[in-house]
Amino acid sequence: MKTTITEVSKFVGEEVTIGAWLANKRSSGKIAFLQLRDGTGFIQGVVVKSEVEEEVFQKAKGLTQETSIYVTGVVQEDTRSPFGYELQVNSLEVIHEAVDYPITPKEHGTEFLMDHRHLWLRSRRQHAVMKVRNEIIRATYEFFNKEGFVKVDPPILTGSAPEGTTELFATKYFDEDAYLSQSGQLYMEAAAMALGKVFSFGPTFRAEKSKTRRHLIEFWMIEPEMAFYEFEDNLKVQEEYVSFIVQSVLSNCKLELERLGRDTSKLEKIKAPFPRISYDEAIKFLHEKGFNDVEWGDDFGAPHETAIAESYDMPVFITHYPTSLKPFYMQPDPNRDDVVLCADLIAPEGYGEIIGGSERLHDHDVLKQRIEEHDLSPEAYKWYLELRKYGSVPHSGFGLGLERTVAWISGVEHVRETIPFPRLLNRLYP
Ligand SMILES: NC(=O)C[C@H]([NH3+])C(=O)NS(=O)(=O)OC[C@H]1O[C@@H](n2cnc3c(N)ncnc32)[C@H](O)[C@@H]1O
Ligand SMILES: [Mg+2]
């Protein structure tokens, strides 16, 4: 019976065959322990010299790391392993021998591992992070389908720069200039006027010369947009969504979170509603904490966000930033024109901003004025302005950065471990 590692629980006491790779091995004169992986999971194969043909035992002892094999054996329960099962091996067939696999079981430097990302992905830790990423994506679709949102796919090749013109990846579109999408937001606003509640999930690109544990050049973003939703409605969707994905990972990725050594008690308390602090209150808080390097009108750096988040064991919204700090499309506070109806969601444990969102400007003339103030091309934004000419409505939305969210929930330090092939400053390989 051919099966996979995650399916063995159905075959306890039966003989099965699994296609696998040898992740690691230890052996003595009488027994060999094979750490096997097949992409679905990891299992120990035990080869007892006295119970197999001599040729099988010698073959097992001679296996090299990452050699691919078909291994046949009887599934047994194993309470000592977190997985709960092991394979009493009866025979094995080598498919392809791996010679001098570079990522040996010892410690390796980050640059070495990054240069071998196409192989590093095979390790238990990277496997666990990718499974958490997958669960967040799965739960995202579950949440937004459950809430009546429609999946809409904005273009990657665009003529606009919603997040400003300093971090654009320019490309040629035949004889026109185009940019890789920084954010699908503007198109999602058009989609929301057609479909009400929409969400996108796709890659976005920022030519940002930031070399930090939170910044990627190419990252994936979930961008919901909702017609008739105002500022507070928007925050409610965000806190419900983030709570949902955290609880989904806790329920469906227990083994992976254990492999990552994640303290899940910090995740169990993540439930809506989340605390809110205004930018004004945040500035006052930081001054009281002795941060004299930030004044009203300044943006917050990672240390500021971390200091603010440390007062909470939940994600915290920082709201009503100064208009001067934020992109052209944000709705001003009706009571103050020097701040806008926006919020950044800051994750606990120093993971920083995972969401940026706002209510959008829905007055045509004010938006037109903002586009001019930001020196943006009226032609490139003509279509975006037209959304305010024909039945404009209050509307809001946000962008959740997938990799930063995966880093926070899985507890890994750097976003480079949260995307299969990270694009960083000075890294386009592999
Ligand atoms: N539809 C919207 O309203 C989204 C809005 N146009 C937008 O792009 N906001 S954002 O620039 O704060 O980016 C949103 C999130 O996207 C993530 N982000 C933003 N930039 C990065 C980089 N460079 N690397 C990794 N992750 C990044 C981070 O979690 C941010 O909070
Ligand atoms: Mg932001």
Side-chain angles (χ1 to χ4, degrees):
M1 156 68 70
K2 268 187 109 172
T3 187
T4 63
I5 289 172
T6 43
E7 297 289 308
V8 295
S9 57
K10 297 176 188 165
F11 305 103
V12 175
E14 294 181 44
E15 183 174 80
V16 299
T17 296
I18 295 171
W21 289 268
L22 182 76
N24 202 349
K25 176 191 79 197
R26 60 188 172 83
S27 63
S28 68
K30 297 197 172 69
I31 192 167
F33 296 100
L34 310 179
Q35 301 308 320
L36 302 168
R37 65 177 196 84
D38 70 349
T40 70
F42 296 78
I43 192 170
Q44 177 166 271
V46 183
V47 191
V48 179
K49 180 179 172 62
S50 59
E51 293 174 13
V52 298
E53 301 286 326
E54 180 59 18
E55 179 248 349
V56 172
F57 188 69
Q58 292 310 321
K59 201 187 288 183
K61 285 194 69 168
L63 287 176
T64 51
Q65 187 182 359
E66 286 303 313
T67 287
S68 49
I69 55 177
Y70 286 116
V71 56
T72 299
V74 177
V75 179
Q76 289 190 340
E77 290 186 334
D78 174 15
T79 51
R80 294 158 302 175
S81 96
F83 177 54
Y85 301 93
E86 73 176 13
L87 203 62
Q88 287 298 329
V89 174
N90 295 331
S91 64
L92 58 88
E93 174 199 339
V94 171
I95 301 168
H96 180 259
E97 186 183 26
V99 178
D100 298 336
Y101 181 74
I103 307 183
T104 56
K106 72 174 181 59
E107 278 300 303
H108 294 279
T110 301
E111 282 311 295
F112 175 86
L113 290 170
M114 291 292 282
D115 285 341
H116 294 85
R117 180 63 177 171
H118 50 297
L119 301 174
W120 184 26
L121 265 182
R122 302 182 184 190
S123 75
R124 272 178 189 269
R125 176 182 164 88
Q126 300 311 309
H127 185 275
V129 178
M130 290 299 118
K131 296 281 284 215
V132 170
R133 178 186 172 106
N134 177 66
E135 175 56 22
I136 292 171
I137 294 168
R138 187 207 63 76
T140 292
Y141 278 86
E142 181 183 349
F143 178 82
F144 286 110
N145 283 313
K146 179 166 67 74
E147 294 298 321
F149 283 66
V150 176
K151 173 77 167 34
V152 169
D153 301 315
I156 299 290
L157 288 166
T158 72
S160 51
E163 297 307 312
T165 54
T166 55
E167 297 159 4
L168 283 169
F169 270 111
T171 181
K172 290 307 285 183
Y173 191 80
F174 302 106
D175 56 4
E176 285 185 82
D177 289 337
Y179 310 108
L180 295 184
S181 172
Q182 289 176 315
S183 159
Q185 176 194 321
L186 308 189
Y187 299 97
M188 299 311 288
E189 293 183 56
M193 306 302 156
L195 293 151
K197 298 191 291 186
V198 294
F199 76 104
S200 70
F201 172 57
T204 46
F205 308 85
R206 308 271 169 108
E208 206 166 346
K209 291 196 175 351
S210 302
K211 214 169 161 61
T212 80
R213 67 191 184 94
R214 297 171 175 171
H215 283 85
L216 292 160
I217 305 297
E218 172 182 325
F219 63 96
W220 287 63
M221 201 161 27
I222 289 95
E223 297 193 79
E225 196 72 30
M226 298 80 70
F228 303 104
Y229 276 52
E230 298 183 17
F231 173 68
E232 186 54 35
D233 305 322
N234 193 21
L235 301 194
K236 283 190 175 57
V237 173
Q238 293 173 46
E239 61 197 8
E240 291 298 337
Y241 166 45
V242 170
S243 304
F244 185 83
I245 57 178
V246 170
Q247 297 310 318
S248 297
V249 171
L250 284 172
S251 305
N252 301 321
C253 292
K254 291 186 175 64
L255 194 56
E256 288 76 16
L257 290 173
E258 185 182 348
R259 271 203 191 123
L260 293 165
R262 183 59 164 125
D263 174 0
T264 53
S265 65
K266 295 183 176 174
L267 297 175
E268 277 143 19
K269 57 184 74 171
I270 305 298
K271 290 195 173 66
F274 296 161
R276 292 135 168 79
I277 176 174
S278 71
Y279 174 88
D280 293 358
E281 291 162 337
I283 288 285
K284 185 166 174 289
F285 169 83
L286 291 170
H287 287 166
E288 286 164 1
K289 288 283 180 186
F291 285 88
N292 301 314
D293 59 346
V294 64
E295 294 304 330
W296 200 97
D298 292 341
D299 210 349
F300 295 138
H304 306 126
E305 289 176 349
T306 301
I308 292 162
E310 273 168 357
S311 308
Y312 306 89
D313 53 7
M314 301 273 271
V316 53
F317 288 109
I318 305 178
T319 68
H320 299 83
Y321 281 76
T323 308
S324 59
L325 286 179
K326 290 297 184 181
F328 71 97
Y329 54 71
M330 292 190 180
Q331 179 75 2
D333 181 331
N335 306 314
R336 281 178 57 182
D337 61 7
D338 62 340
V339 299
V340 285
L341 297 179
C342 75
D344 282 359
L345 186 62
I346 311 300
E349 302 171 79
Y351 282 94
E353 177 196 335
I354 58 172
I355 289 182
S358 67
E359 185 173 332
R360 315 321 186 170
L361 254 176
H362 55 272
D363 179 278
H364 176 278
D365 296 343
V366 176
L367 179 61
K368 187 168 184 295
Q369 182 192 335
R370 283 280 191 284
I371 288 173
E372 287 158 6
E373 286 166 1
H374 283 250
D375 295 328
L376 297 169
S377 132
E379 299 73 48
Y381 292 84
K382 178 173 175 295
W383 68 270
Y384 184 60
L385 261 174
E386 281 186 8
L387 301 178
R388 280 77 177 170
K389 271 175 79 173
Y390 306 109
S392 186
V393 295
H395 60 288
S396 301
F398 62 94
L400 173 130
L402 177 64
E403 288 76 21
R404 291 188 185 179
T405 305
V406 173
W408 163 48
I409 295 176
S410 59
V412 300
E413 181 72 10
H414 197 297
V415 286
R416 66 181 160 233
E417 289 194 69
T418 66
I419 188 167
F421 295 94
R423 295 297 173 248
L424 299 164
L425 206 52
N426 311 319
R427 175 155 303 268
L428 185 59
Y429 176 90

